Amino acid sequence: MNSAEELKYLLPNSVVSVGVQTNKPQAVIRKEDFLKVAEKVKELGYDNLSVITGVDRVDRIEVIYNLFSYKKKQNLALKVVLDHRSPEVDSVTSIWKVADWLERETYDLVGVKFNGHPDLKRILLPEGWIGHPLRKDYDMNTEQFVTIGEDGEDIVSPDGSNLLRRK
Amino acid sequence: METETLLLNMGPVHPSTHGVLRFKLRMDGEIIRDCQIVVGYLHRGTEKFGEMKTYLQFIPYTDRLDYIAAMPNNYAYVKAVEELAGIEVPQRAEYIRVLVMELNRVINHLVFMGSLLLDLGASTMIMYGFRERENALQLYESLCGARMTFNYIRPGGVREDLPDGFIPKLNEFIKDMEKRIVDYEELVNGNEIFLMRMKNIGVINAEEAINYGMTGPSMRGSGVDHDIRKLEPYSIYQDLDFKACMRREGDSYARYLVRVDEIRESLHILKQIVDKLPKGNTINQRYGFAPNTGAPSAVTSYFPRIFTPAEGEVYSRIEAPKGELGFFVASDGTTKPYRVKIRSPSFCNLVALPKMVLGLKIPDLIAAFGTIDIVLGDVDR
């Protein structure tokens, strides 16, 4: 029994299906139960959250969590499938602290909202940026201009009105 | 006594931030009460480029992530593609890959030592570190024509075989480094000012380090010896004799010592590779050819430009010099990846910094920050 099947056995109602992510066991989780499952997974010894990946599948958004247990030396991937119009899932910052930045990055670039995150704001792009670049429908042709205001905060505009232009 | 706190801005352009990184510090006198890190000034949208370029075209972009040690970036991406498509790699290519990666680990830790000491106000070490690094960069230059952005590793092998005279020069480098590392330790490790700046500064225990997502030497300074080369041996690491370096204290000095030890271990690995290096092809013959003509201008091996792996997702990770470097690659069966996600060690290691520096002074922030060893190209991607 691999780690995903073990999770299915322990939480049969929350785990939708089990499969593989190439060579790692993967469990697809009901998004409503995600926080509960994450707590259970931490209890099972998965102490290292490697990465959170958001993937825009056009009709849905998938968020994939790659976990590793240093004690058991086992891999586990969790996947939640979210609605494309309003992708929302519970934050796991209370369980793995590293999720703080990983979730902010996923919010910034893919536009997934993490409920319960203490400070969910953009991290790589400036506050006020229009759109989420890793969405497949992101508008690549509109330029956006960024300057730093007097208080050090970023100012974004799509027409360059915030730039100092030579007259 | 309650005093008014002062909001202090440090960066984005500051000599000790190793690039463009901004700290927002709330200071109570000289004591740091709160530290917020602002990143993203070097964001180039590498992951979006991944979706727009073919599998082969994306390799040079990975060089620009952690530009101090670019070879592991190349390899981590290529390894993900290989796992996705099930490509086998000839043994000689695997040895060459580990050779160039371990050499890069030495370079990375030399730059780490140099820049850390420079941040602390000692300028000798960076001259020494860069002098030795130059020798290694010349080795790379003779190998692939580039000094920092290599674009050398290909799915199924490596781009070119080792040039003539590479191994003797490498032997010279190893012999030289083994002597130099003793000098460095004498120069730095016992220095009283250095010890006072490093010991008991930025302490983090093992459990917290793991929970905050720290990996690599920064985590191994906290008393755990988790090393992906040992946990999930990839390439030829299971055939090599080395140990995962570890220190118990969890402070800045421990993280520094781990890296010094790792230079030694890497040199030890390099020596084994020189002894064991097998003959044979440097790229999988199904995908390219590698006639070793010896002429420098000859095309030695290539990978097909149009390459379509089957549909699937993969997350593959390696032990880069700075920690766990992973690539998530999703394929939809076309010539371009559907999604490329980069799990960079520098980004995740930074999460723990605010916790480490609470209650310390600004010079201690610089010391602790220096020992986490980040590169902003890797943080912002």
Side-chain angles (χ1 to χ4, degrees), chain A residues 21-24 26 42 47-58 62 64 66 68 70-71 73 75 79 93 95-102 104-106 109-110 119 121 123-125 133-136 138 140 148 151-154, chain B residues 12 21-22 24 36-41 43 47-48 51-52 83-84 210-215 219 226-227 230-232 311-317 324 328 330-332 337-343 346-348 350-351 354 379-381:
Chain A
Q21 185 201 62
T22 308
N23 42 16
K24 296 180 174 65
Q26 174 174 281
K42 177 76 194 284
D47 42 5
N48 177 24
L49 174 62
S50 272
V51 69
I52 299 175
T53 314
V55 185
D56 180 6
R57 293 281 182 186
V58 183
E62 292 173 352
I64 298 145
N66 274 91
F68 185 74
Y70 283 122
K71 285 164 216 147
K73 298 193 173 37
N75 280 293
K79 185 191 261 191
T93 33
I95 305 168
W96 297 283
K97 287 284 191 321
V98 64
D100 185 352
W101 280 32
L102 292 172
R104 275 176 70 189
E105 193 196 343
T106 312
L109 300 179
V110 192
D119 186 22
K121 58 181 186 195
I123 185 162
L124 295 177
L125 294 172
L134 292 177
R135 290 277 186 96
K136 293 291 172 186
Y138 177 71
M140 298 271 287
I148 298 179
D151 55 352
E153 299 308 316
D154 303 308
Chain B
L21 174 93
R22 184 170 154 216
K24 280 197 230 169
Q36 277 183 30
I37 301 174
V38 183
V39 298
Y41 295 96
H43 182 58
E47 291 175 11
K48 191 72 179 173
E51 296 174 8
M52 292 153 63
E83 280 179 18
L84 190 64
I210 291 171
N211 199 261
Y212 277 87
M214 285 175 90
T215 45
M219 173 184 66
H226 302 316
D227 186 321
K230 289 278 187 196
L231 292 169
E232 298 180 315
E311 238 174 89
E313 291 170 357
V314 68
Y315 176 68
S316 148
R317 55 189 202 150
E324 174 181 337
F328 177 94
S331 158
D332 59 348
Y338 189 77
R339 173 83 163 93
V340 177
K341 162 84 193 180
I342 304 152
R343 190 268 187 218
S346 305
F347 184 80
C348 293
L350 258 188
V351 182
V379 175
D380 294 341
R381 305 185 300 269

Side-chain angles (χ1 to χ4, degrees), chain B residues 138-153:
Chain B
Q138 281 177 5
L139 281 172
Y140 279 130
E141 202 174 352
S142 73
L143 180 70
C144 58
R147 291 159 57 86
M148 282 169 81
T149 50
F150 307 113
N151 185 19
Y152 177 65
I153 297 175

Side-chain angles (χ1 to χ4, degrees), chain B residues 307-381:
Chain B
F307 165 67
T308 50
E311 238 174 89
E313 291 170 357
V314 68
Y315 176 68
S316 148
R317 55 189 202 150
I318 66 160
E319 180 78 22
K322 293 181 173 68
E324 174 181 337
L325 173 65
F327 276 78
F328 177 94
V329 180
S331 158
D332 59 348
T334 61
T335 54
K336 294 171 185 172
Y338 189 77
R339 173 83 163 93
V340 177
K341 162 84 193 180
I342 304 152
R343 190 268 187 218
S344 71
S346 305
F347 184 80
C348 293
N349 284 354
L350 258 188
V351 182
L353 186 67
K355 160 134 191 80
M356 285 157 59
V357 298
L358 286 191
L360 300 179
K361 299 188 174 76
I362 287 185
D364 299 333
L365 165 71
I366 290 170
F369 175 68
T371 55
I372 291 183
D373 188 22
I374 64 152
V375 158
L376 265 299
D378 202 20
V379 175
D380 294 341
R381 305 185 300 269

Side-chain angles (χ1 to χ4, degrees), chain B residues 124-140:
Chain B
T124 313
M125 190 57 222
I126 196 158
M127 301 296 172
Y128 283 4
F130 273 62
R131 180 183 63 193
E132 263 57 80
R133 175 173 175 262
E134 178 63 28
N135 296 337
L137 291 187
Q138 281 177 5
L139 281 172
Y140 279 130

